[in-house]
């Protein structure tokens, strides 16, 4: 008994309790003949996709369709936003921005401690 | 790196990504865009406007669309506009700015397409009316009368059969439109229609409830328009009848509401709905026109520029009268905008007295002040063009003490930049509290750009009068508190008392804010008694001051005693004179003067008046107008008419307040001065101290005419004047002549209030 035959016997034994009963479908898939068969064939066809280029392409696509605009919506202007939050204070002897008054007071205090 | 996939997995995956992108673009993206535009608009960022317009133009937005238009294009545009598109509003009466957040506003041209869309698609509601109102006002400005009329008629037809059918604001707007077009008959007919409808409503209510009070409803606006039609037709007497009828309706309605409020037990202060309505003012104007036999109108025009000659364009100029001068403008108030060269003009102005208010951006006032006089009114007469130019003057720069300088010496020197053309300066001092500030004019008639005074002069000054109880320790201590930060400002005046410029104003640029007007006084330290006072233990503090004064002649303790003990005790007089005799502060000498003046103790009064002037001379302080004018009043009471007259002549024209000018007027009449001279005083120096506003020129003219031929009235007038000049407050005026009674009454009200 050749080696090949021996292996076949072992295989036959091991697969003895399994039964193929959809040979027709399988053959149709592997060797498609009709139009529907062709579609099914390609629908289930396995392909290999290179992860990095594909992800890059997808990202590019999303960016062009709406991503950039989305990011734009999320970012709120910073510098001018703070400027508009400045508050006016009427000291009676002049109307100033609150932050300038605070700065002036701070500088005066620092000057005093130094002196 | 590669992954193995089936084609179907790949396709479904890509489809999912596609759906996600679609949803993002149609739902999530507009939502985020709205949110961001909202944030930007609220934060005052201009780009928010563009984003909002882009959103409305590119997306349908479903049911939300009308809400967005309502919130961003209609709401807030009729209540605050137009001045709210500007950063600040200034008027002779007051100035105000939008606090911190200055939301971005859309111009009417930007809003118009959306307002029209709202009107077309939204159901009849209050916002729809407001949108129509805003559109029509724009059409009126652009003289697009047909468009305005079509829109108004269309919406009027739509509101019939809805719950809004009794809302007449758009019908009244239609009346305004007709009046502006000169279609007075159409306007009148429309008014009658409204009245008819209100009568029917009233009849229905009365039928349902026989106790339903009052008459049919006639709104203030309705009456105003009715009167306006009559005025345009030159029917002054009819206008007067109509305005009276309007006022009657208004009062009846107010009374009815007040009754309801009382029933509901609301707070009393809410009951006064209207003290002074535009109708009252309209009536005054009609009376004035009848008086002058005037049938046409006048105009006001002028130029707004900086002191340097640079014209200020795009400034909103508001025409204010007494009924609205003390509030910020609302949407329907009359206004115009200066052109490129800074010119403005108001045509067709009803004869009367006006002031101007300005809406402008902060850049225009930063470092500048607008010369204004809150007592100055522009008097418009028929067929007369009043020219009124406004000049923005640079603010005065302070040299010192500034930036929290600590003054520990016995002398204090205030110094500022000299102002060209200034005859006098006034110095105001006060202090900064956490919840605000106090600033009092303390020194006036300063001829140099500085004032040097002993610190004790300030110690003797007070922020205000202490009414007891409770005693406010901060006010009692005033400038003697070394822990406080004091503020100061300077005003410059021309020789005739007109405000030229001041240091006090908007200082927002860094270079304008480098000299903060704050300083501290560290010449003395808080005593134990001061600390007790600050802790609120007034009784203990009083004992401690008394002890300090008795044991060590502590002047500060004596000073505090005069401020906290009761004023009608014998000790008060003793402490007051004791303190004044130290010659520490002009204010303390003035208090003694006042004390003896009130008691008619003329000997002591004159004695102290001399002391007071000696003190001023020693310290180089100029006498202030008020004290000298009250001295004149004291002299009048003792019969020294000529001396009093000369003081009045010197000091009353020097300031804008004209205190006791009514007594000056009375004195000149009593002394038989020529009528022209008397009338001049009445016109130029109207006393404004009285409770009621008096037209002194008119009252005086009436008096002069009334007594000219009437010997008896002349005698009665003389007798009454003598009593008043003598300082007698009580007693009846014995005269049958109404003009004599009116004049004497007005003088009493102004001089003895």
């Amino acid at each position: 008994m050749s080696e090949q035959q021996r292996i076949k016997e072992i295989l036959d034994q091991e697969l003895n309790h399994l039964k193929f009963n959809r040979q027709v479908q399988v053959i149709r898939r592997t060797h498609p003949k009709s139009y529907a068969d062709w579609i099914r064939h390609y629908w289930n066809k396995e392909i290999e996709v290179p992860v990095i280029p594909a992800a890059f392409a997808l990202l590019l696509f999303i960016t062009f369709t709406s991503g950039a605009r989305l990011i734009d919506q999320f970012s709120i202007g910073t510098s001018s936003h703070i400027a508009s939050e400045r508050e006016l204070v009427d000291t009676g002897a002049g109307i100033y921005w609150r932050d300038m008054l605070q700065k002036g007071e701070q500088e005066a205090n620092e000057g005093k401690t130094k002196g | 790196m590669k992954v193995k996939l089936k084609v179907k997995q790949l396709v479904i995956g890509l489809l999912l990504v596609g759906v996600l992108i679609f949803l993002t673009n149609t739902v999530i993206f507009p939502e985020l865009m709205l949110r961001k535009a909202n944030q930007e608009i609220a934060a005052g960022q201009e780009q928010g406007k563009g984003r909002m317009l882009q959103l409305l133009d590119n997306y349908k937005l479903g049911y939300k669309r009308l809400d967005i238009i309502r919130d961003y294009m209609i709401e807030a545009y009729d209540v605050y506009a137009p001045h709210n598109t500007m950063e600040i509003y200034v008027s002779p009466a007051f100035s105000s700015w939008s606090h911190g957040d200055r939301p971005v506003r859309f111009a009417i041209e930007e809003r118009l397409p959306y307002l029209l869309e709202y009107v077309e698609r939204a159901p009849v509601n209050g916002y729809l009316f407001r949108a129509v109102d805003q559109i029509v006002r724009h059409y009126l400005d652009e003289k697009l009368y047909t468009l305005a009329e079509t829109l108004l008629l269309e919406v009027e037809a739509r509101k019939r059969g809805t719950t809004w059918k009794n809302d007449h604001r758009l019908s009244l707007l239609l009346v305004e439109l007709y009046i502006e077009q000169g279609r007075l008959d159409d306007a009148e007919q429309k008014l009658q229609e409204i009245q008819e409808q209100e009568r029917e409503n009233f009849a229905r209510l009365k039928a349902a409830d026989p106790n339903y009070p009052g008459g049919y409803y006639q709104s203030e606006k309705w009456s105003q328009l009715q009167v306006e039609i009559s005025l345009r037709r030159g029917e002054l007497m009819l206008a007067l009848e109509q305005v009276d009828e309007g006022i009657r309706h208004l009062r009846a309605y107010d009374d009815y509401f007040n009754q309801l409020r009382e029933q509901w037990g609301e707070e009393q202060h809410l009951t006064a709905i209207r003290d002074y309505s535009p109708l009252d003012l309209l009536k005054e104007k009609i009376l004035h026109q009848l008086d002058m036999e005037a049938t046409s109108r006048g105009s006001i025009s002028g130029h707004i520029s900086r002191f340097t000659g640079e014209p200020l364009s795009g400034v909103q100029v508001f025409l204010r009268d007494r009924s609205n001068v003390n509030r910020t403008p609302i949407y329907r108030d009359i206004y115009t905008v200066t052109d490129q060269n800074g010119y403005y003009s108001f045509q067709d102005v009803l004869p009367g007295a006006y002031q101007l208010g300005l809406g402008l951006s902060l850049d225009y006032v930063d470092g500048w002040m607008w010369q204004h006089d809150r007592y100055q009114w522009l008097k418009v007469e028929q067929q007369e063009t009043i020219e009124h130019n406004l000049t923005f003057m640079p603010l005065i720069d302070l040299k010192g003490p500034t930036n929290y300088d600590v003054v520990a010496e016995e002398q204090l020197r205030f110094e500022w930049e000299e102002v060209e053309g200034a005859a006098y300066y006034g110095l105001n001092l006060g202090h900064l509290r956490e919840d605000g500030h106090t600033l009092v004019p303390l020194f006036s008639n300063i001829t140099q750009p500085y004032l040097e005074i002993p610190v004790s002069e300030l110690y003797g000054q007070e922020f205000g009068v202490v009414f007891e109880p409770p005693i406010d320790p901060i006010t009692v201590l005033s400038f003697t508190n070394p822990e406080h930060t004091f503020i100061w400002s300077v005003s410059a005046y021309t020789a005739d008392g007109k405000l030229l410029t001041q240091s006090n104003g908007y200082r927002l640029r860094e270079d304008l804010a480098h000299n903060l007007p704050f300083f501290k006084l560290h010449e003395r330290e808080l005593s134990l008694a001061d600390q007790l006072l600050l802790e609120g233990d007034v009784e203990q503090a009083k004992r401690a001051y008394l002890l300090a004064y008795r044991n060590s002649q502590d002047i500060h303790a004596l000073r505090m005693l005069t401020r906290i003990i009761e004023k009608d005790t014998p000790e008060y007089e003793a402490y007051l004179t004791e303190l004044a005799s130290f010659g520490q502060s002009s204010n303390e000498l003035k208090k003694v003067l006042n004390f003896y003046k009130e008691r008619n103790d003329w000997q002591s009064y004159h004695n102290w008046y001399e002391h007071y002037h000696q003190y001023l001379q020693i310290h180089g302080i100029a006498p202030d107008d008020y004290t000298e004018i009250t001295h004149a009043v004291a002299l009048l009471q003792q019969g020294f008419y000529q001396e009093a007259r000369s003081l009045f002549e010197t000091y009353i024209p020097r300031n804008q307040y004209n205190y006791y000018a009514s007594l000056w007027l009375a004195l000149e009449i009593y002394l038989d001065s020529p009528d022209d001279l008397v009338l001049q005083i009445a016109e130029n120096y109207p006393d404004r101290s009285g409770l009621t506003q008096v037209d002194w020129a008119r009252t005086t003219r009436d008096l002069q005419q009334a007594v000219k031929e009437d010997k008896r009235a002349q005698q009665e007038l003389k007798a009454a004047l003598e009593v008043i000049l003598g300082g007698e407050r009580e007693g009846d005026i014995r005269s049958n002549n109404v003009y004599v009674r009116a004049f004497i009454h007005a003088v009493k009200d102004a001089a003895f209030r």
Side-chain angles (χ1 to χ4, degrees):
Chain A
M1 200 168 29
S2 71
E3 182 72 2
Q4 220 179 354
Q5 271 176 325
R6 208 175 56 86
I7 289 170
K8 188 180 182 307
E9 252 171 45
I10 294 169
L11 205 65
D12 282 345
Q13 262 176 8
E14 280 181 3
L15 296 176
N16 201 20
H17 61 282
L18 293 174
K19 269 187 184 164
F20 261 130
N21 54 3
R22 294 173 70 186
Q23 290 106 324
V24 186
Q25 282 102 318
V26 174
I27 290 165
R28 266 201 202 158
R29 279 204 189 174
T30 51
H31 299 85
K33 275 173 193 151
S34 73
Y35 189 63
D37 289 346
W38 274 106
I39 290 176
R40 221 168 283 145
H41 171 71
Y42 281 106
W43 191 235
N44 288 298
K45 187 172 181 173
E46 239 172 34
I47 48 167
E48 281 196 337
V49 180
V51 175
I52 293 165
F56 190 71
L58 193 69
L59 203 71
L60 219 63
F61 177 68
I62 291 173
T63 310
F64 273 107
T65 45
S66 60
R69 287 195 287 173
L70 265 178
I71 289 162
D72 182 43
Q73 300 306 320
F74 278 119
S75 64
I76 300 294
T78 44
S79 60
S80 49
H81 183 64
I82 288 162
S84 72
E85 279 176 355
R86 292 179 87 176
E87 195 192 342
L88 286 174
V89 185
D90 186 356
T91 65
I95 296 157
Y96 298 87
W97 291 122
R98 190 179 285 286
D99 51 306
M100 277 196 187
L101 281 181
Q102 282 161 349
K103 207 177 97 190
E105 191 172 1
Q106 215 173 357
E107 278 170 12
N109 286 336
E110 278 164 18
K112 245 179 271 163
T113 49
K114 267 182 218 158
Chain B
M1 198 166 68
K2 290 179 177 181
V3 285
K4 276 188 180 171
L5 286 173
K6 284 188 175 174
V7 170
K8 63 178 175 191
Q9 288 167 330
L10 185 70
V11 171
I12 289 169
L14 284 176
L15 266 176
L16 271 176
V17 170
V19 167
L20 207 68
I21 287 171
F22 176 77
L23 275 177
T24 309
N25 278 344
T26 52
V27 182
I28 301 171
F29 184 62
E31 182 59 39
L32 285 171
M33 199 165 167
L34 177 64
R35 240 185 247 185
K36 184 162 189 202
N38 183 12
Q39 271 173 328
E40 283 170 339
I41 288 173
Q45 291 173 324
E46 276 296 312
Q47 70 256 38
K49 253 166 72 165
R51 197 179 303 276
M52 187 62 80
L53 294 177
Q54 213 187 338
L55 178 73
L56 285 168
D57 288 345
N58 296 335
Y59 299 96
K60 289 198 166 132
L61 302 165
Y63 70 95
K64 263 194 158 180
R65 188 175 177 85
L66 288 181
D67 290 353
I68 293 174
I69 297 178
R70 181 196 66 205
D71 292 346
Y72 293 93
M73 305 282 176
I74 304 174
E75 181 86 84
Y77 280 91
D78 43 9
V79 185
Y80 305 111
H83 84 290
N84 250 35
T85 55
M86 293 293 182
E87 288 168 318
I88 63 160
Y89 169 75
V90 291
S91 73
F94 69 100
S95 122
S96 70
W97 61 82
S98 32
H99 277 275
D101 58 324
R102 292 189 300 279
V104 176
R105 303 258 167 202
F106 293 95
I108 178 69
E109 289 81 5
E110 288 169 316
R111 290 187 291 132
L112 189 61
Y114 308 104
L115 291 179
L116 286 168
E117 181 186 339
Y118 190 89
V119 171
E120 197 184 310
R121 293 180 46 210
V124 175
N125 64 42
Y127 284 105
L128 181 109
F129 288 179
R130 286 162 70 173
V132 172
D133 193 297
Q134 292 173 22
I135 297 167
V136 169
R137 301 231 163 239
H138 172 64
Y139 285 161
L140 285 179
D141 284 343
E142 301 288 313
K143 309 231 176 303
L144 299 167
Y145 297 130
T146 325
L147 275 179
E149 189 181 353
T150 316
L151 180 65
L152 284 171
L153 289 174
E154 199 182 289
V155 178
E156 229 183 32
R158 265 172 74 189
K159 83 170 187 187
R160 264 173 229 138
T162 71
T163 49
W164 294 87
K165 63 176 181 292
N166 289 326
D167 191 313
H168 298 304
R169 57 190 131 161
L170 294 184
S171 313
L172 290 170
L173 192 55
L174 193 60
V175 176
E176 267 182 75
L177 169 74
Y178 290 150
I179 292 178
E180 188 153 332
Q181 284 179 285
R183 294 161 62 184
L184 299 181
D185 292 339
D186 288 338
E188 196 171 24
Q189 198 192 333
K190 192 81 219 166
L191 280 183
Q192 272 163 11
E193 266 174 43
I194 297 169
Q195 195 182 44
E196 212 46 53
Q197 205 179 326
E198 279 304 322
R199 278 184 209 273
E200 276 169 30
N201 287 339
F202 176 69
R204 213 177 16 255
L205 285 167
K206 196 82 181 169
D209 172 13
N211 291 325
Y212 191 82
Y216 66 92
Y217 179 62
Q218 178 174 320
S219 70
E220 193 173 59
K221 186 83 199 163
W222 192 96
S223 309
Q224 265 177 298
L225 291 171
Q226 189 194 31
V227 173
E228 179 69 23
I229 294 171
S230 300
L231 286 178
R232 296 239 173 184
R233 284 177 174 152
E235 294 167 347
L236 286 177
M237 286 312 290
L238 180 65
L240 189 62
E241 268 170 46
Q242 288 166 338
V243 86
D244 274 332
E245 177 70 11
I247 291 171
R248 204 181 56 74
H249 267 279
L250 214 59
R251 298 281 178 260
Y253 219 75
D254 286 356
D255 287 346
Y256 172 52
F257 260 103
N258 288 343
Q259 275 172 21
L260 283 185
R261 271 161 209 264
E262 263 165 44
Q263 278 171 23
W264 299 334
E266 273 192 49
E267 280 180 54
Q268 202 58 32
H269 71 265
L270 283 173
T271 55
I273 300 179
R274 281 172 271 238
D275 290 332
Y276 195 77
S277 92
L279 288 180
D280 292 303
L281 190 76
L282 201 55
K283 182 176 172 180
E284 261 178 46
K285 288 181 181 172
I286 297 168
L287 284 173
H288 177 79
Q289 271 187 292
L290 280 169
D291 219 29
M292 301 278 129
E293 291 167 1
T295 46
S296 63
R297 301 185 179 208
S299 59
I300 300 178
S301 63
H303 180 240
I304 303 181
S305 64
R306 288 204 201 287
F307 171 64
T308 49
E310 181 196 341
L312 297 182
S313 63
V315 176
Q316 292 171 340
V317 187
F318 295 89
L319 194 60
R320 316 303 281 162
D321 58 35
R322 272 203 286 135
S323 71
N324 61 19
V325 73
N326 288 320
R327 62 163 168 78
T328 49
I330 52 168
Y331 168 61
R332 292 182 174 185
D333 290 347
I334 302 170
Y335 84 106
T336 181
V337 178
T338 55
D339 67 13
Q340 278 179 326
N341 301 315
Y343 285 94
Y344 74 91
S345 93
F346 293 102
Q347 302 299 325
D348 263 349
V349 179
L350 261 184
Y354 298 92
Q355 286 187 335
L356 299 182
L358 306 180
L360 16 77
S361 67
L362 281 172
D363 296 341
Y364 278 7
V365 286
D366 195 10
W368 298 85
M369 68 101 30
W370 161 35
Q371 268 184 290
H372 61 267
D373 173 355
R374 64 175 304 173
Y375 296 113
Q376 193 193 352
W377 291 83
L378 305 170
K379 298 229 166 65
V380 176
E381 299 297 345
Q382 65 164 337
Q383 285 178 326
E384 207 180 78
T385 298
I386 299 250
E387 183 157 334
H388 185 62
N389 297 331
L390 303 174
T391 315
F392 279 64
M393 299 291 288
L395 295 178
I396 305 175
D397 263 335
L398 300 182
K399 290 185 175 168
T402 54
N403 295 329
Y404 301 90
D405 280 348
V406 175
V407 179
E409 294 83 43
E410 283 180 12
Q411 285 288 98
L412 180 59
R413 186 183 165 95
F414 295 97
E415 202 173 345
W416 55 91
E417 202 80 34
E418 190 167 1
V419 176
E420 210 187 305
Y424 311 102
Y425 298 97
L427 192 62
N428 312 301
L429 282 141
H431 79 137
L432 211 53
R433 315 178 77 128
E434 259 170 43
D435 55 347
H437 54 79
T438 319
L439 193 73
V440 235
L442 288 190
F443 303 99
S444 57
N445 296 328
I446 307 165
T447 49
Q448 305 289 339
Y450 60 83
L451 179 74
E452 197 165 327
I453 47 167
V455 169
S456 61
E457 165 65 35
L458 271 196
Y459 286 167
Q461 300 282 356
E462 288 156 82
F463 297 150
V465 188
V466 183
F467 295 104
E468 47 198 315
I471 281 173
D472 170 29
I474 302 291
T475 309
V476 170
L477 283 171
S478 285
F479 293 97
T480 67
N481 189 344
E483 288 176 355
H484 259 298
T485 301
F486 302 109
I487 56 176
W488 67 291
S489 77
V490 164
S491 310
Y493 298 94
T494 58
D496 56 354
K498 285 216 175 77
L499 179 66
L500 204 54
T501 179
Q502 58 191 30
S503 65
N504 176 358
Y506 289 85
R507 292 177 176 275
L508 309 180
R509 277 198 335 261
E510 201 118 10
D511 60 308
L512 292 166
H514 60 265
N515 276 339
L516 299 173
F518 307 141
F519 69 97
K520 289 182 170 242
L521 290 175
H522 278 196
E523 191 263 344
R524 68 178 293 273
E525 279 169 16
L526 280 184
S527 67
L528 259 164
D530 293 341
Q531 272 157 11
L532 285 169
L533 183 69
L534 282 171
E535 282 159 17
D537 196 343
V538 180
E539 280 313 308
Q540 279 293 341
K542 199 193 280 182
R543 256 173 249 143
Y545 283 132
L546 209 57
L547 213 64
Y549 170 57
R550 286 201 178 135
N551 292 348
S552 52
Q553 292 287 299
D554 184 318
I555 293 180
H556 173 73
L558 178 60
R559 175 170 288 140
M560 293 302 112
L561 281 174
T562 65
R563 293 183 191 180
I564 53 180
I565 66 163
E566 302 204 0
K567 305 283 182 273
D568 47 10
T569 54
E571 293 96 64
Y572 179 67
E573 181 179 357
Y575 290 148
L576 200 65
T577 48
E578 174 84 10
L579 178 63
S581 62
F582 283 109
Q584 291 253 320
S585 173
S586 61
N587 185 46
E588 282 156 3
L589 287 153
K590 281 192 233 173
K591 278 167 86 172
V592 177
L593 276 183
N594 202 36
F595 182 85
Y596 287 119
K597 180 173 174 274
E598 274 176 11
R599 281 157 189 77
N600 289 359
D601 181 347
W602 300 121
Q603 205 187 341
S604 304
Y605 174 86
H606 283 290
N607 209 354
W608 281 105
Y609 183 74
E610 247 168 62
H611 278 308
Y612 166 68
H613 269 266
Q614 272 166 7
Y615 174 87
L616 295 184
Q617 219 163 7
I618 291 169
H619 295 288
I621 299 171
D624 68 281
D625 302 338
Y626 186 74
T627 310
E628 295 313 307
I629 293 168
T630 48
H631 181 59
V633 176
L635 290 172
L636 277 185
Q637 291 180 17
Q638 300 161 68
F640 301 123
Y641 293 150
Q642 294 304 333
E643 291 88 338
R645 175 194 247 171
S646 113
L647 279 174
F648 280 145
E649 280 170 358
T650 313
Y651 287 99
I652 288 179
R654 286 236 291 235
N655 67 79
Q656 47 183 332
Y657 303 108
N658 303 335
Y659 355 76
Y660 292 116
S662 56
L663 281 183
W664 183 16
L665 198 60
L667 176 65
E668 295 297 344
I669 295 173
Y670 182 75
L671 295 178
D672 293 322
S673 298
D675 278 2
D676 315 356
L677 184 98
V678 172
L679 209 53
Q680 234 174 343
I681 293 172
E683 267 166 15
N684 296 339
Y685 313 111
D687 195 329
R688 297 177 180 107
S689 347
L691 280 174
T692 46
Q693 285 276 335
V694 178
D695 184 343
W696 286 102
R698 187 174 161 165
T699 314
T700 309
R701 210 181 302 119
D702 288 347
L703 176 77
Q704 286 172 341
Q705 276 166 5
V707 300
K708 198 173 258 170
E709 307 287 317
D710 189 341
K711 274 267 176 308
R712 194 178 151 168
Q714 279 174 23
Q715 282 168 355
E716 286 166 349
L717 176 65
K718 270 253 160 128
L721 286 176
E722 195 171 333
V723 171
I724 284 185
L725 295 176
E728 186 62 60
R729 287 150 202 248
E730 311 302 326
D732 290 330
I733 310 155
R734 265 178 254 127
S735 175
N736 290 327
N737 191 308
V738 284
Y739 296 106
V740 172
R741 283 210 306 272
F743 182 80
I744 297 291
H745 186 79
V747 174
K748 270 187 156 179
D749 179 42
F752 302 137
R753 190 166 69 84

